[in-house]
Structure formats: C-alpha cells, structure tokens
Amino acid sequence: LNVPIGLFNTIVLISSSMTMVMSWASLMMKDFKKYRLYMGLTILCGLIFLCVKAFEYNAKFHHHNFPSTSTYFAIYFTLTGLHALHVIGGLIVNSYFWGPGAKMWKTDPARFTNRIEVAGVYWHFVDLVWIFLFPILYLT
C-alpha cells in the first residue's frame, strides 16, 4: 500500500475533526457564518478523503489487486470500504445540516447546536476508526 497516500488521508481526516469541532464551537458562540465555513471545510475534507480513496482503489484494480487476490486484500477492501460508507453517511448528515437543515438555527438554535454536536461525535468516531485502520493496514 502507498503509505504517503494513507498518511495524507489520515491528515485530511484529523483536520476534518478539527473543523467539525470549530463548526460546533462557532454555534456555541452564536456565529452562524463561521459555522457554515467550518462545516463546509469538514464536508470538503470528507470529499477529499473519498476522492483519494477512489484513486487508491483504482490503482489497486489497475494492478489486478482485488478482494479475491488474497486474504490481505479481502480484509483491506472490506475494512476500508465499510469505513468509506460511514464517511459517506457522515457527509450526508453534515451536508443536510449545512444546507436545508440549517433552517433550524433560526427557529431553535439550542436544538440545532445539539444536533451538530451529535453529528460531530459520529464524525469523530469515524475518524478514530481510520486512525486504527491506517497503521494496521498501511504500516504492517
């Protein structure tokens, strides 16, 4: 596996955790514009992660490395594929709260802030899983 690409993706996800916290903190300080900025950056980081993962998968397939090639690649594609699905789920939720769901800020800001905090807990969990996957898959 390409360690620099895996490391890059790790940095992207850790950065997205920071921007997720900043989006929540912005709401706590009643700064909706900064919330939108930081949540947008969180979404962008998630999309970058998925694009890099897609290019990485493409390279594996180009070199004829499929899940059926070996037990290692079966485990690699299963774990990273499930992780990518969870990233997509987080992106859907965060995009909703960045877009149409943001209307709740005007009607019930405390509830909206709580929803962003819960979405952040999920996002951090997905990032934490990657922090374990990276050394297990890329550095062994």
Side-chain angles (χ1 to χ4, degrees), residues 64-135:
H64 305 288
N65 292 320
F66 303 100
S68 60
T69 304
S70 68
T71 303
Y72 176 80
F73 279 115
I75 292 169
Y76 166 80
F77 283 113
T78 300
L79 293 178
T80 59
L82 286 171
H83 181 263
L85 287 174
H86 284 84
V87 170
I88 290 168
L91 284 173
I92 290 168
V93 170
N94 288 342
S95 296
Y96 171 76
F97 286 129
W98 187 76
K103 289 183 238 172
M104 188 189 302
W105 173 253
K106 292 179 184 171
T107 58
D108 195 351
R111 185 175 177 206
F112 182 72
T113 303
N114 182 265
R115 297 262 172 114
I116 298 307
E117 184 175 13
V118 171
V121 169
Y122 174 83
W123 193 255
H124 297 317
F125 175 74
V126 171
D127 289 353
L128 181 65
V129 168
W130 182 257
I131 289 172
F132 285 100
L133 289 179
F134 172 67

Side-chain angles (χ1 to χ4, degrees), residues 22-41:
M22 294 303 294
S23 69
W24 172 79
S26 297
L27 292 176
M28 292 298 288
M29 294 185 291
K30 313 259 187 270
D31 191 342
F32 187 74
K33 284 179 84 172
K34 279 192 180 176
Y35 156 77
R36 298 273 300 195
L37 170 69
Y38 288 120
M39 183 59 83
L41 289 171

Side-chain angles (χ1 to χ4, degrees), residues 6-78:
L7 180 61
F8 174 78
N9 257 352
T10 302
I11 292 167
V12 167
L13 281 186
I14 291 170
S15 299
S16 76
S17 271
M18 291 178 0
T19 58
M20 188 74 202
V21 169
M22 294 303 294
S23 69
W24 172 79
S26 297
L27 292 176
M28 292 298 288
M29 294 185 291
K30 313 259 187 270
D31 191 342
F32 187 74
K33 284 179 84 172
K34 279 192 180 176
Y35 156 77
R36 298 273 300 195
L37 170 69
Y38 288 120
M39 183 59 83
L41 289 171
T42 302
I43 293 166
L44 179 64
C45 285
L47 291 171
I48 290 169
F49 176 87
L50 289 176
C51 285
V52 169
K53 185 54 61 188
F55 281 109
E56 194 175 9
Y57 276 13
N58 188 42
K60 302 276 177 292
F61 297 151
H62 181 73
H63 291 103
H64 305 288
N65 292 320
F66 303 100
S68 60
T69 304
S70 68
T71 303
Y72 176 80
F73 279 115
I75 292 169
Y76 166 80
F77 283 113
T78 300

